[in-house]
Amino acid sequence: MPSAPFRRLTSCRVCGATEISVFLSLGETPLANAFVRPVAAAAPELRAPLEVMRCLRCGLVQLTVVVDPEVIFRDYAYATSASAPMRGHFDGLAAEIVERFAPAGSFVVEVGSNDGVLLRPLRERGARALGVEPAANLAAIANAEGLETVNEFFGPDVASRLRGERGAAKVVVGNNVLAHIDGLPDVARALDALLDDDGVFVAEVPYLFDLLDHVEYDTVYHEHLSYFHLAPLMTLFAQVGMQLFDVKRVPTHGGSIRMYVGRSARRAETPALTGLVALERSRLADAAAVFGTFAARVAAQRQALRAVLAELRSAGKRLAGYGATAKGNTMLNYCGIGADTLSFIADTTPYKQGLLTPGTHIPVRDESAIDAERPDVMLLLAWNYADAIVRRLDGYVARGGRFIHPIPLPRLIPDR
Ligand code: JHZ
Ligand code: ZN
């Protein structure tokens, strides 16, 4: 098997400490969004080790390897707008940003703007919004819709150039992007360069404690280099004289935090932030036990999911999957679930339809396959949208179709 171009981390990407402890290994897996063209099915796929460690100094949870971002992000399968609930979520975020920090006409930069899902409502609400997005296919979609996007990786050079050309930003936004970036201190420096004196960085990241509590190990894949909680983020921003001043828990992607970062001493810390920092500290009092327990729950989920699927198969049930997610590919590869078990996976993303899942080679089809193949049970690989999907597929449910909600332990939904 060929390896993806990757390097091993020998120190923490936030604080530089070399004291690190590996607590989870999910094997050697293909890249989670590297869907395969059927004509290329016989060709070997790039793989890399998928292991998670934590820094014993600042606490940052991170992968042991970094796959070359040029390989992962230049052409990218995940288009945020394909998931209807995310459009509503980001409209709400745009409203909040404009109301709290960016009066009409303010310059707002979004890092990792994907297909423009947030740029659009920001603009509709009066901000001068600019996207920075490394995926050429996604930047092109946004630009074609008049949502101005520069096709680059964000960093100190881009930040200084934008500031020179367009002035300082009132707000920089970054959703589900900090986890993708290896050089976090560079990002902090870039924010410092681009933001106005009273400017604010608003960012959403999946929250480590939701990952731990709900056994969301499938959100571990090579794109996600870091799994955040507040303490290491505070260490990071302090390096450039910035600080978190507020935080909010939001339900997206299995549980995330929305953080607000400003220049030190300009804004008072909210009780929400003080409270969550204290909660984290108490929960990590015996960190080794916390991460050891998590690893055991991951292994138990694998065993239980394999057992449920085997039982349904031997009862003659027709099985498929729903949601060709990146995280689904971690779960399928780690649990060893292939096309002999799931005959297809339905997904609304045009880019993914007609392709095969990485490693496991299950065909991705559009939703009409559900009526054509009439599966009895679908493994819900997009469990983060469970409610919306059960509602959307009311016809499937009405004729007796059910889903396996796979985490923290597999269960059939809706209840009967
Ligand atoms: P979804 C992505 O992970 C990738 P994924 C990325 N690396 C990241 O950081 C995380 O998000 C946070 C489809 N769908 O959002 C669309 C339906 O078919 O869970 C998508 O392909 N029907 C950027 O890939 C997939 O499911 C529906 O009704 O794990 C959802 O992918 C809905 C709602 C979605 O993210
Ligand atoms: Zn560290």
Side-chain angles (χ1 to χ4, degrees), residues 260-293:
Y260 305 78
V261 188
R263 297 191 195 278
S264 300
R266 288 199 72 108
R267 290 175 200 266
E269 181 173 314
T270 62
L273 180 67
T274 316
L276 198 55
V277 169
L279 183 67
E280 287 185 353
R281 199 168 297 139
S282 75
R283 289 209 49 184
L284 289 177
D286 185 355
V290 168
F291 291 99
T293 301

mmCIF file of all heavy atoms in Angstrom, residues 260-293:
data_model
loop_
_atom_site.group_PDB
_atom_site.id
_atom_site.type_symbol
_atom_site.label_atom_id
_atom_site.label_comp_id
_atom_site.label_asym_id
_atom_site.label_seq_id
_atom_site.Cartn_x
_atom_site.Cartn_y
_atom_site.Cartn_z
ATOM 1 N N TYR A 260 -14.884 33.263 20.645
ATOM 2 C CA TYR A 260 -14.746 34.672 20.280
ATOM 3 C C TYR A 260 -13.407 35.128 20.831
ATOM 4 O O TYR A 260 -13.158 34.995 22.031
ATOM 5 C CB TYR A 260 -15.870 35.494 20.905
ATOM 6 C CG TYR A 260 -17.259 34.978 20.559
ATOM 7 C CD1 TYR A 260 -17.797 33.867 21.211
ATOM 8 C CD2 TYR A 260 -18.034 35.601 19.580
ATOM 9 C CE1 TYR A 260 -19.059 33.390 20.895
ATOM 10 C CE2 TYR A 260 -19.298 35.133 19.258
ATOM 11 C CZ TYR A 260 -19.807 34.025 19.919
ATOM 12 O OH TYR A 260 -21.058 33.552 19.605
ATOM 13 N N VAL A 261 -12.554 35.632 19.941
ATOM 14 C CA VAL A 261 -11.191 35.981 20.338
ATOM 15 C C VAL A 261 -10.931 37.439 19.979
ATOM 16 O O VAL A 261 -11.219 37.867 18.853
ATOM 17 C CB VAL A 261 -10.164 35.086 19.596
ATOM 18 C CG1 VAL A 261 -8.754 35.299 20.140
ATOM 19 C CG2 VAL A 261 -10.553 33.612 19.681
ATOM 20 N N GLY A 262 -10.404 38.180 20.937
ATOM 21 C CA GLY A 262 -10.080 39.585 20.683
ATOM 22 C C GLY A 262 -8.701 39.905 21.219
ATOM 23 O O GLY A 262 -7.990 39.022 21.704
ATOM 24 N N ARG A 263 -8.320 41.174 21.110
ATOM 25 C CA ARG A 263 -7.019 41.554 21.656
ATOM 26 C C ARG A 263 -7.133 41.653 23.171
ATOM 27 O O ARG A 263 -8.144 42.127 23.693
ATOM 28 C CB ARG A 263 -6.563 42.875 21.052
ATOM 29 C CG ARG A 263 -6.366 42.723 19.557
ATOM 30 C CD ARG A 263 -5.662 43.911 18.948
ATOM 31 N NE ARG A 263 -5.832 43.870 17.495
ATOM 32 C CZ ARG A 263 -5.093 43.127 16.671
ATOM 33 N NH1 ARG A 263 -4.104 42.389 17.147
ATOM 34 N NH2 ARG A 263 -5.327 43.121 15.380
ATOM 35 N N SER A 264 -6.116 41.201 23.858
ATOM 36 C CA SER A 264 -6.142 41.161 25.319
ATOM 37 C C SER A 264 -6.472 42.542 25.854
ATOM 38 O O SER A 264 -6.078 43.548 25.289
ATOM 39 C CB SER A 264 -4.793 40.708 25.859
ATOM 40 O OG SER A 264 -4.508 39.425 25.359
ATOM 41 N N ALA A 265 -7.183 42.543 26.942
ATOM 42 C CA ALA A 265 -7.493 43.762 27.680
ATOM 43 C C ALA A 265 -8.550 44.635 27.009
ATOM 44 O O ALA A 265 -8.924 45.671 27.523
ATOM 45 C CB ALA A 265 -6.231 44.594 27.947
ATOM 46 N N ARG A 266 -9.026 44.270 25.845
ATOM 47 C CA ARG A 266 -10.056 45.109 25.211
ATOM 48 C C ARG A 266 -11.459 44.649 25.564
ATOM 49 O O ARG A 266 -12.407 45.403 25.418
ATOM 50 C CB ARG A 266 -9.875 45.114 23.700
ATOM 51 C CG ARG A 266 -8.657 45.925 23.279
ATOM 52 C CD ARG A 266 -8.711 46.315 21.827
ATOM 53 N NE ARG A 266 -9.712 47.336 21.552
ATOM 54 C CZ ARG A 266 -9.433 48.583 21.249
ATOM 55 N NH1 ARG A 266 -8.191 49.001 21.220
ATOM 56 N NH2 ARG A 266 -10.391 49.440 20.967
ATOM 57 N N ARG A 267 -11.598 43.372 25.977
ATOM 58 C CA ARG A 267 -12.942 42.863 26.260
ATOM 59 C C ARG A 267 -12.911 42.010 27.538
ATOM 60 O O ARG A 267 -11.966 41.255 27.755
ATOM 61 C CB ARG A 267 -13.445 42.003 25.103
ATOM 62 C CG ARG A 267 -13.742 42.811 23.862
ATOM 63 C CD ARG A 267 -14.112 41.926 22.701
ATOM 64 N NE ARG A 267 -13.925 42.650 21.442
ATOM 65 C CZ ARG A 267 -14.890 43.321 20.823
ATOM 66 N NH1 ARG A 267 -16.104 43.353 21.307
ATOM 67 N NH2 ARG A 267 -14.630 43.964 19.696
ATOM 68 N N ALA A 268 -13.981 42.101 28.310
ATOM 69 C CA ALA A 268 -14.044 41.321 29.544
ATOM 70 C C ALA A 268 -14.472 39.888 29.245
ATOM 71 O O ALA A 268 -15.239 39.639 28.318
ATOM 72 C CB ALA A 268 -15.035 41.968 30.500
ATOM 73 N N GLU A 269 -13.939 38.965 30.028
ATOM 74 C CA GLU A 269 -14.277 37.553 29.874
ATOM 75 C C GLU A 269 -15.704 37.298 30.371
ATOM 76 O O GLU A 269 -16.075 37.738 31.448
ATOM 77 C CB GLU A 269 -13.255 36.758 30.694
ATOM 78 C CG GLU A 269 -13.427 35.279 30.651
ATOM 79 C CD GLU A 269 -12.267 34.554 31.350
ATOM 80 O OE1 GLU A 269 -11.090 34.905 31.122
ATOM 81 O OE2 GLU A 269 -12.556 33.635 32.140
ATOM 82 N N THR A 270 -16.499 36.568 29.595
ATOM 83 C CA THR A 270 -17.889 36.315 29.998
ATOM 84 C C THR A 270 -17.966 35.160 31.001
ATOM 85 O O THR A 270 -17.076 34.294 31.026
ATOM 86 C CB THR A 270 -18.756 35.932 28.784
ATOM 87 O OG1 THR A 270 -18.238 34.717 28.229
ATOM 88 C CG2 THR A 270 -18.765 37.023 27.727
ATOM 89 N N PRO A 271 -19.043 35.116 31.795
ATOM 90 C CA PRO A 271 -19.230 33.986 32.724
ATOM 91 C C PRO A 271 -19.284 32.642 31.982
ATOM 92 O O PRO A 271 -18.861 31.614 32.517
ATOM 93 C CB PRO A 271 -20.577 34.297 33.393
ATOM 94 C CG PRO A 271 -20.772 35.771 33.225
ATOM 95 C CD PRO A 271 -20.074 36.154 31.955
ATOM 96 N N ALA A 272 -19.796 32.645 30.749
ATOM 97 C CA ALA A 272 -19.861 31.379 29.996
ATOM 98 C C ALA A 272 -18.463 30.813 29.792
ATOM 99 O O ALA A 272 -18.234 29.608 29.924
ATOM 100 C CB ALA A 272 -20.538 31.612 28.641
ATOM 101 N N LEU A 273 -17.511 31.698 29.511
ATOM 102 C CA LEU A 273 -16.141 31.238 29.290
ATOM 103 C C LEU A 273 -15.514 30.761 30.602
ATOM 104 O O LEU A 273 -14.941 29.664 30.670
ATOM 105 C CB LEU A 273 -15.298 32.373 28.674
ATOM 106 C CG LEU A 273 -13.846 31.993 28.394
ATOM 107 C CD1 LEU A 273 -13.747 30.950 27.289
ATOM 108 C CD2 LEU A 273 -13.011 33.210 28.012
ATOM 109 N N THR A 274 -15.651 31.571 31.645
ATOM 110 C CA THR A 274 -15.082 31.193 32.945
ATOM 111 C C THR A 274 -15.628 29.835 33.386
ATOM 112 O O THR A 274 -14.890 28.975 33.865
ATOM 113 C CB THR A 274 -15.448 32.251 34.007
ATOM 114 O OG1 THR A 274 -15.249 33.547 33.428
ATOM 115 C CG2 THR A 274 -14.602 32.109 35.254
ATOM 116 N N GLY A 275 -16.935 29.653 33.195
ATOM 117 C CA GLY A 275 -17.576 28.416 33.628
ATOM 118 C C GLY A 275 -17.080 27.203 32.864
ATOM 119 O O GLY A 275 -16.803 26.145 33.447
ATOM 120 N N LEU A 276 -16.939 27.339 31.546
ATOM 121 C CA LEU A 276 -16.525 26.181 30.757
ATOM 122 C C LEU A 276 -15.053 25.823 31.011
ATOM 123 O O LEU A 276 -14.681 24.650 31.041
ATOM 124 C CB LEU A 276 -16.787 26.432 29.261
ATOM 125 C CG LEU A 276 -16.805 25.194 28.371
ATOM 126 C CD1 LEU A 276 -17.805 24.144 28.852
ATOM 127 C CD2 LEU A 276 -17.100 25.564 26.912
ATOM 128 N N VAL A 277 -14.236 26.837 31.235
ATOM 129 C CA VAL A 277 -12.826 26.572 31.564
ATOM 130 C C VAL A 277 -12.748 25.767 32.865
ATOM 131 O O VAL A 277 -11.999 24.787 32.971
ATOM 132 C CB VAL A 277 -12.031 27.898 31.687
ATOM 133 C CG1 VAL A 277 -10.645 27.642 32.282
ATOM 134 C CG2 VAL A 277 -11.915 28.574 30.321
ATOM 135 N N ALA A 278 -13.559 26.152 33.841
ATOM 136 C CA ALA A 278 -13.543 25.448 35.132
ATOM 137 C C ALA A 278 -14.032 24.011 34.973
ATOM 138 O O ALA A 278 -13.475 23.075 35.546
ATOM 139 C CB ALA A 278 -14.409 26.195 36.143
ATOM 140 N N LEU A 279 -15.067 23.844 34.151
ATOM 141 C CA LEU A 279 -15.609 22.498 33.925
ATOM 142 C C LEU A 279 -14.548 21.598 33.283
ATOM 143 O O LEU A 279 -14.340 20.454 33.695
ATOM 144 C CB LEU A 279 -16.847 22.593 33.031
ATOM 145 C CG LEU A 279 -17.570 21.287 32.751
ATOM 146 C CD1 LEU A 279 -18.201 20.743 34.039
ATOM 147 C CD2 LEU A 279 -18.649 21.478 31.679
ATOM 148 N N GLU A 280 -13.851 22.135 32.296
ATOM 149 C CA GLU A 280 -12.794 21.354 31.634
ATOM 150 C C GLU A 280 -11.725 20.930 32.636
ATOM 151 O O GLU A 280 -11.255 19.792 32.622
ATOM 152 C CB GLU A 280 -12.120 22.197 30.539
ATOM 153 C CG GLU A 280 -12.987 22.402 29.313
ATOM 154 C CD GLU A 280 -12.246 23.130 28.200
ATOM 155 O OE1 GLU A 280 -11.098 23.599 28.421
ATOM 156 O OE2 GLU A 280 -12.816 23.234 27.099
ATOM 157 N N ARG A 281 -11.362 21.872 33.498
ATOM 158 C CA ARG A 281 -10.287 21.573 34.440
ATOM 159 C C ARG A 281 -10.698 20.415 35.351
ATOM 160 O O ARG A 281 -9.930 19.495 35.591
ATOM 161 C CB ARG A 281 -9.943 22.831 35.247
ATOM 162 C CG ARG A 281 -8.593 22.756 35.898
ATOM 163 C CD ARG A 281 -8.136 24.100 36.455
ATOM 164 N NE ARG A 281 -7.960 25.121 35.433
ATOM 165 C CZ ARG A 281 -8.332 26.403 35.573
ATOM 166 N NH1 ARG A 281 -8.932 26.815 36.683
ATOM 167 N NH2 ARG A 281 -8.116 27.271 34.610
ATOM 168 N N SER A 282 -11.935 20.450 35.809
ATOM 169 C CA SER A 282 -12.339 19.373 36.720
ATOM 170 C C SER A 282 -12.474 18.050 35.966
ATOM 171 O O SER A 282 -12.126 16.994 36.480
ATOM 172 C CB SER A 282 -13.618 19.745 37.470
ATOM 173 O OG SER A 282 -14.722 19.627 36.610
ATOM 174 N N ARG A 283 -12.943 18.101 34.727
ATOM 175 C CA ARG A 283 -13.095 16.851 33.990
ATOM 176 C C ARG A 283 -11.761 16.205 33.653
ATOM 177 O O ARG A 283 -11.682 14.997 33.452
ATOM 178 C CB ARG A 283 -13.894 17.104 32.713
ATOM 179 C CG ARG A 283 -15.368 17.381 33.020
ATOM 180 C CD ARG A 283 -16.258 16.965 31.911
ATOM 181 N NE ARG A 283 -15.994 15.620 31.437
ATOM 182 C CZ ARG A 283 -16.608 15.076 30.404
ATOM 183 N NH1 ARG A 283 -17.505 15.755 29.739
ATOM 184 N NH2 ARG A 283 -16.323 13.852 30.021
ATOM 185 N N LEU A 284 -10.712 17.024 33.541
ATOM 186 C CA LEU A 284 -9.410 16.469 33.159
ATOM 187 C C LEU A 284 -8.477 16.262 34.357
ATOM 188 O O LEU A 284 -7.273 16.090 34.187
ATOM 189 C CB LEU A 284 -8.742 17.360 32.113
ATOM 190 C CG LEU A 284 -9.413 17.319 30.733
ATOM 191 C CD1 LEU A 284 -8.738 18.275 29.766
ATOM 192 C CD2 LEU A 284 -9.412 15.903 30.154
ATOM 193 N N ALA A 285 -9.070 16.238 35.550
ATOM 194 C CA ALA A 285 -8.240 16.063 36.740
ATOM 195 C C ALA A 285 -7.441 14.764 36.651
ATOM 196 O O ALA A 285 -6.281 14.706 37.036
ATOM 197 C CB ALA A 285 -9.106 16.077 37.992
ATOM 198 N N ASP A 286 -8.058 13.706 36.108
ATOM 199 C CA ASP A 286 -7.327 12.455 35.867
ATOM 200 C C ASP A 286 -7.390 12.159 34.360
ATOM 201 O O ASP A 286 -8.139 11.299 33.906
ATOM 202 C CB ASP A 286 -7.940 11.315 36.683
ATOM 203 C CG ASP A 286 -7.125 10.024 36.540
ATOM 204 O OD1 ASP A 286 -6.164 9.996 35.736
ATOM 205 O OD2 ASP A 286 -7.464 9.046 37.228
ATOM 206 N N ALA A 287 -6.599 12.909 33.615
ATOM 207 C CA ALA A 287 -6.704 12.856 32.153
ATOM 208 C C ALA A 287 -6.384 11.458 31.610
ATOM 209 O O ALA A 287 -7.040 10.982 30.681
ATOM 210 C CB ALA A 287 -5.795 13.905 31.531
ATOM 211 N N ALA A 288 -5.394 10.802 32.177
ATOM 212 C CA ALA A 288 -5.008 9.486 31.653
ATOM 213 C C ALA A 288 -6.200 8.527 31.711
ATOM 214 O O ALA A 288 -6.463 7.766 30.764
ATOM 215 C CB ALA A 288 -3.828 8.923 32.441
ATOM 216 N N ALA A 289 -6.965 8.590 32.800
ATOM 217 C CA ALA A 289 -8.138 7.721 32.934
ATOM 218 C C ALA A 289 -9.209 8.097 31.917
ATOM 219 O O ALA A 289 -9.845 7.231 31.313
ATOM 220 C CB ALA A 289 -8.686 7.817 34.360
ATOM 221 N N VAL A 290 -9.409 9.393 31.702
ATOM 222 C CA VAL A 290 -10.435 9.858 30.756
ATOM 223 C C VAL A 290 -10.146 9.307 29.353
ATOM 224 O O VAL A 290 -11.037 8.770 28.683
ATOM 225 C CB VAL A 290 -10.475 11.410 30.736
ATOM 226 C CG1 VAL A 290 -11.304 11.926 29.562
ATOM 227 C CG2 VAL A 290 -11.023 11.937 32.059
ATOM 228 N N PHE A 291 -8.908 9.429 28.911
ATOM 229 C CA PHE A 291 -8.594 8.999 27.548
ATOM 230 C C PHE A 291 -8.504 7.470 27.434
ATOM 231 O O PHE A 291 -8.819 6.895 26.397
ATOM 232 C CB PHE A 291 -7.335 9.717 27.047
ATOM 233 C CG PHE A 291 -7.586 11.186 26.839
ATOM 234 C CD1 PHE A 291 -7.202 12.122 27.788
ATOM 235 C CD2 PHE A 291 -8.275 11.636 25.724
ATOM 236 C CE1 PHE A 291 -7.471 13.480 27.621
ATOM 237 C CE2 PHE A 291 -8.554 12.987 25.531
ATOM 238 C CZ PHE A 291 -8.155 13.911 26.488
ATOM 239 N N GLY A 292 -8.117 6.830 28.507
ATOM 240 C CA GLY A 292 -8.108 5.360 28.522
ATOM 241 C C GLY A 292 -9.523 4.804 28.414
ATOM 242 O O GLY A 292 -9.789 3.866 27.647
ATOM 243 N N THR A 293 -10.446 5.388 29.147
ATOM 244 C CA THR A 293 -11.848 4.961 29.088
ATOM 245 C C THR A 293 -12.413 5.184 27.701
ATOM 246 O O THR A 293 -13.138 4.348 27.144
ATOM 247 C CB THR A 293 -12.686 5.772 30.113
ATOM 248 O OG1 THR A 293 -12.126 5.540 31.406
ATOM 249 C CG2 THR A 293 -14.152 5.367 30.095
#
